[in-house]
Amino acid sequence: MSLSVPSAPGVKSARTRGASAIVRDDPSTSNDFKSATTGVAAKAMRNELNRMVSEVKDTTQKKIFDLEMQSFFSLFNRYLMEKAKHEVINWDKIQPLAPELVPSYSDLPDTNDTSILEKLVVLKLNGGLGTTMGLSGSPKSAIEVRDGMTFLDLSVRQIEHLNEAHKTNVPFILMNSFNTDDETQRIIQKYANHNIQILTFNQSRYPRVGKESLLPVPRSATSEKSQWYPPGHGDIFDAISNSGLLDKLLEAGKKYMFVSNVDNLGADVDLKILKHVIDSQCEFLAELTDKTKADVKGGTLINYEGTVRLLEIAQVPSEHVEDFKSIRKFKYFNTNSIYIDLEALKRVIDTEGMELDIIVNNKIADDGTPVIQLETAMGAAIKHFKNAHGINVPRSRFLPVKACSDLLLITSDLYSLEHGKLVMNPQRMFAQTPVVKLGDTFKKIRDFNKRFRTVPNILELDHLTVSGDVWFGRNITLRGTVIIVANEGSRIDLPDGSILENKLVSGNVSIIDH
């Protein structure tokens, strides 16, 4: 069966089905609040959302917008109740996962059963912009990262090769945001003649909330983009259901979905992991990898009162942050790559609905007003599924590009490209990648490309720190620990062919042993 993207939502989540959830008062709501102030805030928000919905004239757009505002109000309502109750996680009840709930990838049996691919779809989270790397207005997936290819190019190449090699047809899905959809739709036209079926849907668009007023910042559904936000990747479950795509996938006989960040160049389809998901009847599998000192802020899976839960650093009481960062207590961190059973997802949405832990993101609006964004994380859904657990995967499956420091690694001689996947150079003697810290002068891709005439050879590099006005010539080799610091007012130019091994370079290129 050929899949097509539905043009209008036909599915409502369990908490909204059969009712115009915002419009109708729920008499139990106010009773749950600890204070009258909280009840007033909920009612005021509901009235504002109702007004905005009523002003949308186009029937189709009104239906979509109403559905989004219902989901938002459910999240906002829960936020108010939790805030009133001062609910915080009980640190004493947190335990690391038992070993059997984090099997090692290396212990999984090999498989040649490619028939299981017939029930698979692959989804990339494509809601982010490349703003932090200097590409405002463009999807991060459009950044060129290797051999003239973008994140999106590499992902498409991986799926295309998978389909060609195993004579199958795994669909490729992009969850866009209102920030990335238009440009992404334009970009994916170039794949029209490729052996790949590309589907897209949009995650929700939620209104920013005034921190003091607790009212929506936008005054209408057409208010400018900056007054809205995509509510984190935890929105994937509502969004794929509300779009109608979940039902379409199930009708087409698809059962499993592999989800990962579009900027994680190590996250490709792995038959061993998929077979483990099927054989263990696991409804939700999260890929974890060993925590290093560079990953101490990353979320992790925990045992909380007998249930597998995701714990993010934002949820940790301040007095326990150092405990959370401990590699000894929490050995793994969440890569944000998951396998999920689509039939189980449909069951959860239809029966209990998703109640994901709320992450409050404090921001400052363009006019200086403090605002909040209520967001959720995809991995938090693990608590809703049967036989859910983690798997300890090699670091090679987690190659994110969050900054130009990461870009240096993946464009270097450390890796080669094979069918869209980065493969570590076998001549690298250490399993771990080097630690690279580039200063603010390298923050934007434009500056990064100007300051590196060519990417240095870093096959034998352990650690690189660069700060200040530093310029790299061609064919430079860096080995061991290299620290380059140009003090304020100084400029360092490293000449073509330089070889720096365990060196500290400072001032005006004075080189000393380190």
Side-chain angles (χ1 to χ4, degrees):
M1 176 180 177
S2 177
L3 292 167
S4 60
V5 182
S7 58
V11 181
K12 294 186 178 182
S13 64
R15 61 173 177 261
T16 60
R17 183 175 284 106
S20 54
I22 297 176
V23 177
R24 192 175 56 149
D25 278 330
D26 179 354
S28 67
T29 300
S30 297
N31 295 333
D32 289 338
F33 292 144
K34 292 289 185 181
S35 69
T37 304
T38 303
V40 169
K43 187 172 183 178
M45 174 63 77
R46 184 175 59 241
N47 290 340
E48 280 295 295
L49 297 177
N50 279 342
R51 181 188 58 75
M52 287 197 287
V53 170
S54 69
E55 292 173 356
V56 179
K57 303 305 179 187
D58 181 272
T59 306
T60 301
Q61 291 302 317
K62 187 171 189 172
K63 186 177 182 181
I64 295 170
F65 184 62
D66 186 27
L67 207 56
E68 286 182 338
M69 293 307 97
Q70 290 174 26
S71 294
F72 168 74
F73 183 71
S74 175
L75 188 67
F76 178 76
N77 206 23
R78 198 154 53 86
Y79 160 72
L80 290 178
M81 288 191 287
E82 291 176 7
K83 185 179 178 185
K85 293 175 183 175
H86 301 290
E87 290 185 348
V88 293
I89 199 159
N90 186 332
W91 190 259
D92 294 334
K93 294 181 179 180
I94 292 175
Q95 297 296 327
L97 287 185
E100 60 268 22
L101 290 176
V102 194
S104 174
Y105 175 84
S106 60
D107 292 336
L108 300 184
D110 290 323
T111 181
N112 294 316
D113 183 6
T114 59
S115 67
I116 58 179
L117 293 172
E118 294 296 325
K119 292 189 174 293
L120 180 71
V121 298
V122 172
L123 186 149
K124 290 286 186 181
L125 303 170
N126 187 46
L129 295 171
T131 309
T132 56
M133 295 174 72
L135 291 183
S136 58
S138 295
K140 188 174 184 181
S141 58
I143 294 175
E144 286 190 7
V145 288
R146 180 89 193 204
D147 300 348
M149 300 180 76
T150 66
F151 288 111
L152 208 48
D153 292 334
L154 295 175
S155 295
V156 167
R157 183 69 196 103
Q158 286 178 15
I159 303 299
E160 194 174 34
H161 173 69
L162 183 76
N163 288 337
E164 290 170 351
H166 301 299
K167 295 179 173 55
T168 188
N169 182 26
V170 174
F172 181 53
I173 305 172
L174 293 169
M175 184 175 83
N176 302 329
S177 70
F178 64 88
N179 287 320
T180 63
D181 187 56
D182 288 347
E183 184 68 8
T184 299
Q185 297 298 342
R186 188 185 67 79
I187 292 170
I188 63 177
Q189 293 178 34
K190 69 179 180 179
Y191 307 123
N193 296 323
H194 290 240
N195 179 27
I196 187 170
Q197 184 180 13
I198 301 179
L199 309 171
T200 68
F201 69 99
N202 275 14
Q203 67 182 116
S204 303
R205 185 184 68 143
Y206 284 179
R208 283 179 150 185
V209 178
K211 190 170 184 178
E212 298 301 325
S213 68
L214 291 180
L215 291 172
V217 173
R219 298 291 295 158
S220 75
T222 56
S223 293
E224 61 182 68
K225 274 187 176 183
S226 64
Q227 297 180 6
W228 305 84
Y229 71 97
H233 39 66
D235 179 58
I236 181 175
F237 309 110
D238 269 352
I240 197 171
S241 177
N242 289 342
S243 72
L245 184 54
L246 175 58
D247 285 342
K248 290 284 186 181
L249 294 173
L250 290 169
E251 288 167 10
K254 302 301 180 182
K255 182 171 170 60
Y256 302 101
M257 182 166 70
F258 174 51
V259 185
S260 62
N261 294 335
V262 74
D263 66 355
N264 181 359
L265 296 176
D268 66 338
V269 174
D270 188 290
L271 280 175
K272 285 172 59 172
I273 299 177
L274 180 57
K275 189 71 162 59
H276 170 75
V277 169
I278 296 169
D279 291 347
S280 64
Q281 298 183 314
C282 171
E283 294 183 349
F284 191 110
L285 183 77
E287 292 192 21
L288 313 176
T289 195
D290 290 345
K291 186 189 287 189
T292 68
K293 289 182 179 179
D295 314 306
V296 292
K297 293 183 179 180
T300 190
L301 294 187
I302 59 169
N303 178 336
Y304 193 75
E305 297 184 311
T307 303
V308 179
R309 299 278 293 270
L310 175 70
L311 179 64
E312 298 278 8
I313 193 167
Q315 299 168 279
V316 178
S318 57
E319 64 270 24
H320 293 293
V321 167
E322 292 307 312
D323 294 337
F324 174 80
K325 292 179 179 180
S326 168
I327 297 174
R328 193 169 299 168
K329 182 168 184 176
F330 301 111
K331 296 189 293 185
Y332 318 109
F333 76 97
N334 177 32
T335 68
N336 213 42
S337 297
I338 67 166
Y339 282 81
I340 189 165
D341 184 316
L342 293 175
E343 293 174 1
L345 175 59
K346 175 72 172 171
R347 182 196 74 235
V348 170
I349 288 175
D350 283 354
T351 56
E352 59 190 275
M354 290 278 185
E355 285 212 349
L356 308 185
D357 297 327
I358 298 171
I359 300 167
V360 181
N361 194 348
N362 291 287
K363 297 278 189 178
I364 301 295
D366 293 341
D367 64 358
T369 304
V371 297
I372 58 173
Q373 298 179 178
L374 304 180
E375 302 175 6
T376 56
M378 178 174 70
I382 195 168
K383 64 184 178 183
H384 288 287
F385 294 91
K386 299 173 183 176
N387 297 324
H389 59 271
I391 183 167
N392 184 16
V393 299
R395 189 73 180 206
S396 59
R397 290 192 57 77
F398 184 65
L399 296 173
V401 181
K402 303 297 182 186
C404 286
S405 297
D406 302 317
L407 198 58
L408 177 65
L409 292 171
I410 66 163
T411 54
S412 73
D413 55 344
L414 278 178
Y415 297 100
S416 60
L417 265 184
E418 291 184 10
H419 310 298
K421 183 179 181 181
L422 288 179
V423 178
M424 177 69 81
N425 190 325
Q427 295 180 26
R428 170 77 175 172
M429 297 181 67
F430 314 105
Q432 287 194 336
T433 55
V435 174
V436 174
K437 298 179 181 179
L438 300 180
D440 287 346
T441 52
F442 292 82
K443 191 173 182 179
K444 309 297 184 185
I445 288 180
R446 178 183 65 253
D447 298 324
F448 175 90
N449 290 332
K450 282 195 303 185
R451 290 178 177 275
F452 286 107
R453 297 290 299 278
T454 61
V455 176
N457 303 312
I458 60 173
L459 200 58
E460 298 177 50
L461 180 69
D462 296 322
H463 181 110
L464 172 67
T465 293
V466 183
S467 178
D469 189 9
V470 180
W471 300 76
F472 289 76
R474 299 180 183 276
N475 303 317
I476 288 175
T477 299
L478 306 175
R479 298 174 184 153
T481 296
V482 178
I483 299 172
I484 306 170
V485 179
N487 297 323
E488 190 172 349
S490 298
R491 169 174 168 148
I492 293 178
D493 290 274
L494 299 176
D496 296 352
S498 299
I499 299 175
L500 301 181
E501 182 171 1
N502 295 322
K503 298 293 182 186
L504 168 63
V505 182
S506 63
N508 292 303
V509 197
S510 56
I511 300 178
I512 58 176
D513 284 326
H514 176 71

